[in-house]
Amino acid sequence: MSTVCVHGLGYIGLPTAAVLADNGHEVFGYDTDQGVRDRVRNADVRIDEPGLDELLERAVESGRLTATDEIPEAQYHIICVPTPFDEETRRPGLEYVNASAEAIAPLLREGDTVILESTVPPGTTETHVRPALEASGLEAGVDFGLAHCPETVLPGNILVELRENDRIVGGIGPDSTAAAVELYDSFVAAAIRTTQDPTTAEFVKLIQNTFRDVNIALANETARIAHDYDIDTREAIDLANGHPRVDLLSPGPGVGGHCLPIDPWFLGVGSDSMDLIPTARKVNDGMSEFVVDLVRDLVGDLDGTKIAVLGAAYKGNVDDTRKSPGVAFARELRRGSEVPPPATDGGSPNGPIVAVHDPHVDDASIELTDTGAASIELVDLETATTDADAVVITTDHDEFAELDPRTLRDRMSTPNVVDTKGILQLQRWRDAGFSTRRI
Ligand code: SAJ
């Protein structure tokens, strides 16, 4: 068993630290945010992630996971800090990665190993982390280990995937790789696959998410084409997927989260060869506009109407609203509507009233108030749907699949529904008097 310091206690660092502790390691969790450290000390989880509460409680109570204000010496340092995306330059900020490496350098001892898990452009471990650590006077691959091992877990299923997903490890020299593999081997049940350098490992992570993004774009474009032919996309995709070499993904209102909409751009940091990938991004981002057109098909002119958007989380059964397609769609509905309509008179000629509801998301965690969005509110289901002219499902939460169309119909001004996730049994809704559209 080893001493491990996990740097950054967010979506990835916190579950990783807890799993390591649960597997017998002595784990220190370091985060620059005092609030985060205090919450970990109290085993207080703010992420909607199955099983994490109990695991964290166990790790903290056993004394094997300690949130710390000062970075300790440790046999392993795992860096799980964010690489925030700059929308204008389409590049990641590496300041947190750099700061972690600089903070580790003075504590680094011969034989220790540093592992970068944060998603970064290819080459970052070599060009940023390595020089910062070598300021210690020690040499990577000789005196200490340095490797990249990208995280690949799916939000909503993190604890299962931490143990059951294959891992890719690319170290500087064979000793770095071996040291990192030894640590992951202590809790990963799947294969740990190695490559000879960190840059390949960084690249692999990015092409995995790019594969998903580009293939979802194909599904989304297929949906738009099917719409022009008045064909039910999901039925067509289902039939097409009966072929042994065809596996189209699911269309929807766009692609959200902190990975798929962002990671493809990281590939372009050191390459001018991207052509298809940016086009796929454009297709996925354009889905908000397509959904607005579907609503117009049903409702006509949107001025003075009320639209209930069901789903602010970026995907089903999670509370994460980062780059959420539901939020993008709500904003798209309000685009160009500079003046907020009065809330009481059923609207004005200044665009629709947009009411967003999400049972997994609370008020504090969502920003709906920027340009043109002043009249978008996050409200309960009854408030959102009362007097609405259309309900639009933008997230595949279980709660939405179980909605009762008759209850909604009785509250709404006009019974229209758009299902962008294909989760409703639309015949039931039609039987209840709804006009329907779906992607
Ligand atoms: N989506 C579709 N159609 C689909 C599948 C997904 O529209 O057929 C949408 C979702 O609704 C969501 C977005 O794509 O808005 C992303 O959802 P996701 O569940 O596909 O993936 P993430 O972003 O939650 O997690 C991804 C995963 N990457 C891959 O599956 C290759 C996860 O394994 C990574 O660890 C994670 O990114 C990450 O951290 O990079």
Side-chain angles (χ1 to χ4, degrees), residues 151-155 161 205 208-209 212 216 249-250 254-256 259-260 263 314-315 325 421:
E151 61 81 13
T152 61
V153 289
L154 195 73
E161 297 205 358
K205 159 76 187 192
Q208 286 173 333
N209 280 348
R212 294 280 288 174
I216 296 168
L249 294 177
S250 303
V255 169
C259 307
L260 268 53
D263 293 3
Y314 81 90
K315 65 175 185 177
K421 298 299 291 184

Side-chain angles (χ1 to χ4, degrees), residues 8-156:
L9 299 173
Y11 285 88
I12 303 301
L14 183 60
T16 302
V19 165
L20 282 163
D22 206 44
N23 282 271
H25 298 286
E26 186 183 4
V27 184
F28 298 94
Y30 177 74
D31 197 292
T32 50
D33 187 326
Q34 169 82 43
V36 171
R37 297 193 303 260
D38 288 345
R39 284 199 291 278
V40 172
R41 283 188 189 111
N42 296 323
D44 172 8
V45 177
R46 295 288 167 92
I47 316 170
D48 194 1
E49 188 60 49
L52 186 55
D53 313 47
E54 303 91 78
L55 182 69
L56 184 64
E57 204 174 299
R58 210 158 62 224
V60 171
E61 271 176 14
S62 69
R64 282 198 296 273
L65 172 58
T66 317
T68 172
D69 299 0
E70 276 183 38
I71 302 171
E73 289 181 341
Q75 288 163 286
Y76 288 95
H77 292 270
I78 307 185
I79 303 174
C80 300
V81 296
T83 46
F85 182 64
D86 182 326
E87 298 283 349
E88 266 172 43
T89 61
R90 289 180 172 154
R91 282 166 178 260
L94 295 175
E95 59 271 23
Y96 299 120
V97 170
N98 293 337
S100 297
E102 283 160 17
I104 293 166
L107 299 157
L108 205 56
R109 304 161 305 180
E110 278 193 34
D112 291 346
T113 298
V114 180
I115 300 166
L116 178 67
E117 282 206 13
S118 310
T119 306
V120 290
T124 303
T125 305
E126 273 282 5
T127 58
H128 287 70
V129 180
R130 180 178 192 164
L133 292 172
E134 288 188 339
S136 62
L138 300 174
E139 194 183 337
V142 177
D143 303 314
F144 70 94
L146 175 59
H148 183 63
C149 177
E151 61 81 13
T152 61
V153 289
L154 195 73

Side-chain angles (χ1 to χ4, degrees), residues 25 35 71 73 75 80 85 89 141 174 209 231 239 288 311 364 372-373 381 386 397 405 422-423 426 433 439:
H25 298 286
I71 302 171
E73 289 181 341
Q75 288 163 286
C80 300
F85 182 64
T89 61
N209 280 348
I231 283 170
L239 289 167
S288 298
L381 180 66
T386 298
H397 290 317
I423 57 169
L426 285 182
I439 296 182

Side-chain angles (χ1 to χ4, degrees), residues 100-412:
S100 297
E102 283 160 17
I104 293 166
L107 299 157
L108 205 56
R109 304 161 305 180
E110 278 193 34
D112 291 346
T113 298
V114 180
I115 300 166
L116 178 67
E117 282 206 13
S118 310
T119 306
V120 290
T124 303
T125 305
E126 273 282 5
T127 58
H128 287 70
V129 180
R130 180 178 192 164
L133 292 172
E134 288 188 339
S136 62
L138 300 174
E139 194 183 337
V142 177
D143 303 314
F144 70 94
L146 175 59
H148 183 63
C149 177
E151 61 81 13
T152 61
V153 289
L154 195 73
N157 199 31
I158 290 181
L159 295 186
V160 173
E161 297 205 358
L162 265 178
R163 292 192 177 92
E164 294 181 7
N165 283 7
D166 285 6
R167 300 296 295 238
I168 314 278
V169 174
I172 291 182
D175 292 349
S176 297
T177 307
V181 168
E182 196 180 326
L183 183 67
Y184 289 101
D185 214 18
S186 68
F187 68 93
V188 173
I192 300 169
R193 302 170 67 197
T194 60
T195 170
Q196 58 205 355
D197 59 83
T199 306
T200 305
E202 291 160 344
F203 186 77
V204 169
K205 159 76 187 192
L206 298 176
I207 58 173
Q208 286 173 333
N209 280 348
T210 303
F211 168 88
R212 294 280 288 174
D213 195 45
V214 170
N215 279 285
I216 296 168
L218 177 62
N220 282 336
E221 190 159 295
T222 301
R224 301 175 77 140
I225 298 168
H227 181 72
D228 293 339
Y229 285 101
D230 206 13
I231 283 170
D232 183 313
T233 317
R234 288 179 196 270
E235 185 196 358
I237 287 179
D238 189 43
L239 289 167
N241 285 349
H243 186 286
R245 284 179 296 284
V246 176
D247 192 10
L248 282 150
L249 294 177
S250 303
V255 169
H258 193 62
C259 307
L260 268 53
I262 293 171
D263 293 3
W265 296 118
F266 288 17
L267 281 173
V269 169
S271 167
D272 291 329
S273 302
M274 299 217 302
D275 203 3
L276 172 67
I277 293 168
T279 305
R281 285 274 67 254
K282 196 166 138 230
V283 169
N284 287 336
D285 284 346
M287 289 309 282
S288 298
E289 232 171 297
F290 179 64
V291 183
V292 172
D293 288 344
L294 292 180
V295 177
R296 275 211 192 89
D297 268 2
L298 291 172
V299 174
D301 186 357
L302 294 178
D303 285 345
T305 62
K306 177 179 174 186
I307 311 298
V309 179
L310 302 193
Y314 81 90
K315 65 175 185 177
N317 305 321
V318 302
D319 62 355
D320 190 339
T321 58
R322 290 180 295 176
K323 292 197 157 290
S324 158
V327 174
F329 163 68
R331 290 197 170 121
E332 184 65 32
L333 278 171
R334 288 290 304 155
R335 196 157 62 95
S337 316
E338 292 300 328
V339 185
T344 47
D345 70 355
S348 78
N350 295 308
I353 292 175
V354 180
V356 182
H357 168 66
D358 194 308
H360 293 258
V361 176
D362 59 32
D363 263 336
S365 58
I366 190 167
E367 284 282 331
L368 284 169
T369 48
D370 64 354
T371 9
S375 66
I376 302 177
E377 303 169 274
L378 192 67
V379 291
D380 61 64
L381 180 66
E382 187 171 345
T383 311
T385 52
T386 298
D387 297 331
D389 296 283
V391 160
V392 184
I393 306 281
T394 49
T395 307
D396 45 347
H397 290 317
D398 293 345
E399 292 89 337
F400 296 156
E402 288 151 17
L403 284 171
D404 175 22
R406 284 168 209 282
T407 312
L408 260 60
R409 179 201 58 202
D410 294 345
R411 276 187 212 141
M412 291 173 67

